[in-house]
Amino acid sequence: MKSFLIDRYGKGSAPRLGEGPEPDLRNNDVMVEVHAAGVNPLDNKIRDGEFKLILPYSLPLVLGNELAGVVVRVGANVRRFKPGDEVYARPAQDRIGTFAEYIAIDETDLALKPDNLTMEEAASIPLVALTAWQVLVERANLRKGQKVLIHAGSGGVGTIAIQLAKHLGAYVATTTSTANVALVKSLGADVVVDYKSDDFEKVLQGYDVVLNSLGKDTLEKSLRVLKPGGKLISISGPPDPDFARQNGSGWLLQLVMRLLSFGIRRQSKRRRISYSFLFMTANGRQLGKITSLIEAGVIRPVLDRVFPFERTNEALDYVETGRAKGKVVVTVK
């Protein structure tokens, strides 16, 4: 089996194309032949070692966090899938490895692929759509008539989150560059702030929810657009104590995360705003609901570029530039 893997963590290092055995198939697993895999900033962060404290992977490690493909075998306890099914998924965080010809996935993390998407389009969906769902539906409980600010609206998470928020009936603002204003408007954004010419915290006010995917400065400025009782939810950190406990981190790591998030949590409390960090998790049931929205035409994928499998490192480099509109995908089969 061909796969792209790392032998050690290293900033900007290139994963190598290697040969190895197919993964073991557990009783609750589905073996999937990977046809396409989404490429995400998370892949580069894992490669660089940014998550080695909270995600202690064994090396060598096959990279890749989302896929679309075809079921080839199922474990003894699997009832929901059969060979020949077209599926897509974000694997559990401790079982990643979609930059490969095959992957074994627990059936609870898997969903049937939307009928109206190609393999490449479907592979662009799971990680970013589950992130948007878990922020807006599960964590924020976003309701009709509420106001939400979604940062980086032309990125992978942003393009899906705008569409989902509009479906939920929210009033949506987003930040993007001049070149992407038309794109985010076409996805449903009501207000677009061009960060090259305007400061969003001076333009927006009275918001209920902010989805942050950017850095510390943007995170702190986001407090100023939220009303008391609002929710600031960040997918780029800093991790908070609740996440540390949910992740099963030891007391020392819990202390580190408490210290890392102390400043933003203190500022939030002063403004009567709740701050939380969200690291999305695999969930086939939620992905099934997203499938229904895609097949109904509520959510559509936004693809920037598709690379052949052997050029996976080029795909990773392109994602790292931060200039992708929507998602980048590699075609494996």
Side-chain angles (χ1 to χ4, degrees):
M1 179 185 81
K2 292 184 174 67
S3 63
F4 275 90
L5 64 161
I6 57 170
D7 298 294
R8 63 185 62 83
Y9 295 118
K11 179 75 174 171
S13 60
R16 65 177 175 87
L17 179 59
E19 287 273 1
E22 290 181 15
D24 294 332
L25 188 71
R26 304 173 188 173
N27 286 340
N28 296 317
D29 283 353
V30 175
M31 185 71 72
V32 180
E33 181 183 55
V34 181
H35 284 221
V39 186
N40 297 278
L42 176 61
D43 300 310
N44 286 316
K45 291 178 180 180
I46 291 173
R47 176 203 64 190
D48 295 347
E50 290 187 25
F51 288 105
K52 60 186 177 182
L53 287 179
I54 60 175
L55 298 175
Y57 292 115
S58 298
L59 301 175
L61 171 69
V62 180
L63 292 177
N65 283 274
E66 60 185 347
L67 79 145
V70 175
V71 175
V72 292
R73 292 194 306 281
V74 299
N77 297 336
V78 172
R79 299 291 178 266
R80 294 174 50 227
F81 300 96
K82 64 185 185 303
D85 284 346
E86 295 188 343
V87 294
Y88 70 152
R90 187 279 200 255
Q93 64 189 34
D94 60 344
R95 301 188 68 189
I96 68 170
T98 64
F99 297 162
E101 293 179 303
Y102 296 92
I103 187 171
I105 302 176
D106 190 292
E107 73 166 333
T108 60
D109 298 334
L110 204 60
L112 292 173
K113 181 183 78 67
D115 289 335
N116 56 337
L117 297 188
T118 65
M119 286 291 184
E120 288 77 16
E121 289 171 332
S124 76
I125 291 288
L127 187 142
V128 293
L130 283 169
T131 300
W133 184 278
Q134 289 169 18
V135 170
L136 299 177
V137 177
E138 302 291 326
R139 184 71 60 87
N141 190 26
L142 190 66
R143 300 185 303 277
K144 184 177 181 179
Q146 288 190 311
K147 297 167 68 176
V148 58
L149 167 60
I150 296 166
H151 283 297
S154 62
V157 172
T159 53
I160 301 297
I162 290 170
Q163 297 175 79
L164 178 58
K166 287 305 295 181
H167 171 67
L168 295 171
Y171 181 84
V172 181
T174 192
T175 57
T176 193
S177 65
T178 310
N180 297 322
V181 170
L183 169 63
V184 296
K185 283 185 175 179
S186 75
L187 297 173
D190 297 291
V191 177
V192 181
V193 180
D194 182 347
Y195 66 78
K196 291 183 178 292
S197 58
D198 289 305
D199 293 328
F200 72 89
E201 78 276 18
K202 295 178 181 178
V203 177
L204 309 174
Q205 60 183 1
Y207 276 69
D208 299 281
V209 178
V210 173
L211 192 174
N212 177 62
S213 56
L214 302 174
K216 183 174 182 286
D217 288 347
T218 300
L219 186 68
E220 293 178 352
K221 288 179 180 179
S222 295
L223 291 171
R224 299 168 200 158
V225 311
L226 285 161
K227 65 185 183 183
K231 298 175 182 178
L232 173 56
I233 304 167
S234 182
I235 60 173
S236 57
D240 59 10
D242 284 343
F243 166 75
R245 285 190 291 271
Q246 293 163 10
N247 197 50
S249 303
W251 69 268
L252 182 57
L253 199 51
Q254 288 189 36
L255 177 61
V256 169
M257 293 186 195
R258 182 178 294 275
L259 292 173
L260 286 172
S261 61
F262 176 76
I264 190 66
R265 287 188 292 111
R266 180 177 59 180
Q267 292 180 60
S268 299
K269 188 174 182 180
R270 285 176 179 168
R271 293 175 175 266
R272 291 186 288 136
I273 291 163
S274 72
Y275 168 77
S276 63
F277 169 74
L278 186 138
F279 190 92
M280 65 78 57
T281 55
N283 192 307
R285 179 184 57 81
Q286 293 175 358
L287 193 55
K289 293 180 179 180
I290 291 163
T291 299
S292 297
L293 294 179
I294 293 170
E295 291 181 341
V298 172
I299 290 175
R300 64 177 174 89
V302 178
L303 276 186
D304 186 309
R305 294 188 187 180
V306 178
F307 290 81
F309 185 54
E310 61 271 17
R311 292 171 59 195
T312 295
N313 281 318
E314 290 181 49
L316 287 164
D317 290 343
Y318 181 59
V319 166
E320 197 161 30
T321 67
R323 293 196 294 267
K325 297 179 183 179
K327 289 296 294 293
V328 174
V329 170
V330 294
T331 300
V332 182
K333 180 177 174 59

